Amino acid sequence: MAAVLTGVVRSMREVEGVTQDGPRKGQTWRFLSLEISDPRYGHVFSCQLRDDDEHYGQIVGADLTEHKVKVTIKAQSANERTLPDGRKIMQIRSQVTNVRDLGLYDDDEE
């Protein structure tokens, strides 16, 4: 059973790069990074929509910032990340699909 997240997009940007190590070394990758917050509890989810997702082309061209969305979480991973100030933190990343735009978020909804 997949998990569903409903929240507000606080930021979104396209990210791309090249795999540096391992069996996929040299392969390029690209995804849409979405920071989605749960307005009720304030948690922020770092979500990624892969470029091979069937709706990627429609979502990457849209500005969903401050829109309420519903997404299906299909995988999660946790990795250490180094912040600009040098601190290291664990970050959970959620790979999502089926991004549905529910319209501009209204603070009075909750």
Side-chain angles (χ1 to χ4, degrees), residues 9-17 29-36 45-51 56 59-66 81-84 91 93-94 96:
V9 177
R10 298 302 181 186
S11 69
M12 61 186 290
R13 65 187 176 98
E14 197 169 11
V15 180
E16 54 187 294
W29 49 265
R30 182 173 57 172
F31 61 84
L32 184 63
S33 172
L34 299 160
E35 297 291 321
I36 300 175
F45 296 82
S46 297
C47 299
Q48 299 174 345
L49 179 67
R50 291 173 44 120
D51 68 341
Y56 181 85
I59 302 298
V60 76
D63 181 6
L64 298 179
T65 306
E66 299 306 318
R81 176 180 174 200
T82 303
L83 299 175
Q91 182 175 24
R93 293 179 180 91
S94 300
V96 299

